[in-house]
C-alpha cells in the first residue's frame, strides 16, 4: 500500500466533503479515505427514490462522481484542489437494497489529469450487487487550495 | 414539428416525473415536454451546492440524465417505459446562477434503443451559460408501462 | 465567423494530418479546416470493412476522434499541440455508403482543455445519414509544438 | 472459470474476426478467446502510427472496441450476433512499444445488453504499460447469426 501524499490529507478531504451540502441532502457519508481509494455510503430512504422505488440513477451518478473525485484528490499534491472534467456511467442493475456503496479508485494518476473509476454496489441483506460502473477524468488545479 | 406519439403522452410523462422523489428533493420541475424534447429546471438553493457554493456536478448530472430520459419517452410507444442504460457528461463551466435548465432532446430514436443528448445551462441575470453536455443511451422497455 | 488564431494555422494542421500514417492507411483526407471546425472524408473501400461489408466502427471512431482533435487545434495557441484525453462514441446506424464524412467542432474552448463533438455521416447516393455521434475531451499541450 | 456457452463458440468468433478486413488492414490478430474474455494483438508498424511515431489513438480505440465486442459475443446465445452500441475510451499513455495488447472482458452480461471493458497495454521490452481504458455497451441481436 502506498503512503499518504502529505500530512492531514484525510482530514482535508473529509473537511471538503463536509462542505458539500448536496452530499448531506442525500444523506451520504464517506467512511473510507485511503491513498487512491474512497468509499461513499448512502442509506436507502424515500427522498432519493425514482418512480419505481429504487434509488434514482442520478443519485447513483452523484456518489460515483464524488467517490472518484475524492480518490483523485488523495493523489494530488498538497496545494491543489480537484475538478470533475467528465464521467461516463453505465447503470447495470436497479439500485435495490438497504444502502448503496460507491467505491472510487485511481486508475492513472497524473500531474494535470487523473483517471478514476467507481463501482456502485447495492447492499441487500448483506449481499452486494454491482449496480453501476463509472469511468472519469479529473483535473488537478495546482495552487487552488480549498478554504 | 412532429406530433405526439399517442394521446395523453404529456400527462403520462409528467405523472412519472411527479413520482420521482429525488426530483422533488432537489426541487426540480419539468415545465417543457414536447415530442423529442424536455426541459427540467432547478432553482439554485443551498441544499444542492458543493463546497464552492456552485450547484453540485452530481445534481447537474441528475437533471441532464432525467431530461434526456424523458425526451426518449416522448418517442416511445404507448405501452412502454424507458430505462437509462448509460450516459457521459462533460462539465464545461461552474453551475453558477439563479437556476439551472437542462434541455434533453432525442438524437436518434429506435425500437429498442434511443440516443439522447442534454445541455445544461446556468441562468445568471437572464443570461444562459452552457455548463454541461451529456450524451446518453436509453432502452425502451416494451410492455412495461409505469403504474 | 471567428477568424484564425494565428497565421499559417491551416497549413500547420494539414501538415500534422499528413504525418499521420494511420490516416493514409484508411485513405482519409481532411478537405475542411476552419476555426472551430474540421471535416475528414474516407471513401468506402473493402480494406476498412467489418464482417457485414459496412465500414468498421473502429474506423468511424478513428475519424471522429481525429476530426474533433483537429477542430480543437484550430482554437489552440500557436506554440501548442493537442492530445486526445478521452472520447465517447455512440454508433447510431451502419456506416453504409460510398463515403464517410466526420465533422468535428469545438463545443467549449479552454486554456488547458477543449471539449469537442463530432458527427459522422455515411453518404449514399448523395444523401447523408448520421451514423455516429462523439463527445470528446482534448488537452492543450502548451510549448509543445509539433516538428 | 465458466464454460463455453455452446459448441464451436471459439471457432465462430474467430471466423467472424477473420471476415473483418479492417482488422487485417492494421495487422491485428485475436490469439485469446475465452468465456467472457478476448485478447487482440497488434504489432507496432509504421502504417498505424500518428504524427509522433506512436500507434494512433484511433487504432487503440479500434482494438479496444473489437476486443470488448467479441468478449460480449462469448456470453451471447448461439443464434445471435453482437453490435457495438457505444464506447468511451480514456487514453492514458502514448502507445509506445513493440506491440499492443487489448484485453476485453465482460463486466455485466444480459439478455439484450452486455457491458464490457477493455484495457489496452503497450508492450516494450517485455514490460506492459496500460495505455487506454474503455467502457462499452454491446447489444445482442437475437436470431441474427453471422453468415
Amino acid at each position: 500500500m502506498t503512503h499518504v501524499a502529505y500530512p492531514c490529507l484525510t482530514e482535508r478531504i473529509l473537511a471538503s466533503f463536509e462542505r458539500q451540502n448536496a452530499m448531506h441532502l442525500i444523506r451520504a457519508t464517506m467512511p473510507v479515505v485511503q491513498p487512491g481509494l474512497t468509499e461513499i455510503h448512502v442509506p436507502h430512504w424515500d427522498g432519493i427514490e425514482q418512480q419505481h422505488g429504487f434509488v434514482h440513477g442520478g443519485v447513483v451518478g452523484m456518489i460515483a462522481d464524488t467517490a472518484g473525485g475524492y480518490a483523485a484528490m488523495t493523489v494530488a499534491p498538497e496545494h491543489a484542489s480537484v475538478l470533475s472534467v467528465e464521467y461516463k456511467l453505465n447503470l447495470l442493475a436497479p439500485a435495490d437494497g438497504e444502502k448503496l456503496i460507491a467505491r472510487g479508485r485511481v486508475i492513472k494518476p497524473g500531474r494535470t489529469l487523473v483517471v478514476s473509476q467507481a463501482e456502485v454496489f447495492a447492499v441487500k441483506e448483506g449481499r452486494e450487487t454491482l449496480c453501476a460502473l463509472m469511468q472519469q477524468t479529473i483535473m488537478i488545479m495546482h495552487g487552488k487550495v480549498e478554504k
Side-chain angles (χ1 to χ4, degrees), chain A:
Chain A
M1 176 58 72
T2 56
H3 49 271
V4 292
Y6 54 88
C8 307
L9 173 68
T10 304
E11 288 72 15
R12 196 151 74 80
I13 288 174
L14 288 173
S16 169
F17 183 86
E18 280 307 305
R19 285 190 299 271
Q20 297 214 9
N21 294 351
M23 288 292 112
H24 294 290
L25 184 71
I26 61 171
R27 302 186 188 169
T29 55
M30 188 162 63
V32 177
V33 177
Q34 286 171 10
L37 188 78
T38 67
E39 261 187 34
I40 293 180
H41 294 202
V42 183
H44 185 150
W45 61 288
D46 60 1
I48 59 172
E49 288 176 352
Q50 33 86 295
Q51 68 273 35
H52 305 295
F54 302 123
V55 176
H56 197 282
V59 173
V60 172
M62 272 181 85
I63 61 174
D65 176 29
T66 306
Y70 281 118
M73 195 168 164
T74 69
V75 300
E78 188 166 0
H79 299 289
S81 59
V82 295
L83 198 69
S84 202
V85 171
E86 62 84 34
Y87 62 92
K88 181 257 202 284
L89 182 85
N90 273 78
L91 295 157
L92 306 173
D96 179 20
E98 296 90 46
K99 74 168 174 176
L100 298 186
I101 299 178
R103 290 201 178 95
R105 68 188 180 98
V106 171
I107 298 295
K108 168 79 182 181
R111 197 187 126 73
T112 308
L113 297 177
V114 176
V115 175
S116 295
Q117 195 174 65
E119 293 176 313
V120 183
F121 297 89
V123 188
K124 194 171 188 173
E125 293 161 16
R127 234 177 64 97
E128 295 190 357
T129 302
L130 183 65
C131 62
L133 180 65
M134 184 209 67
Q135 194 170 314
Q136 179 189 40
T137 310
I138 296 288
M139 191 168 176
I140 308 282
M141 310 293 281
H142 293 278
K144 299 211 175 168
V145 193
E146 287 185 25
K147 259 80 56 186

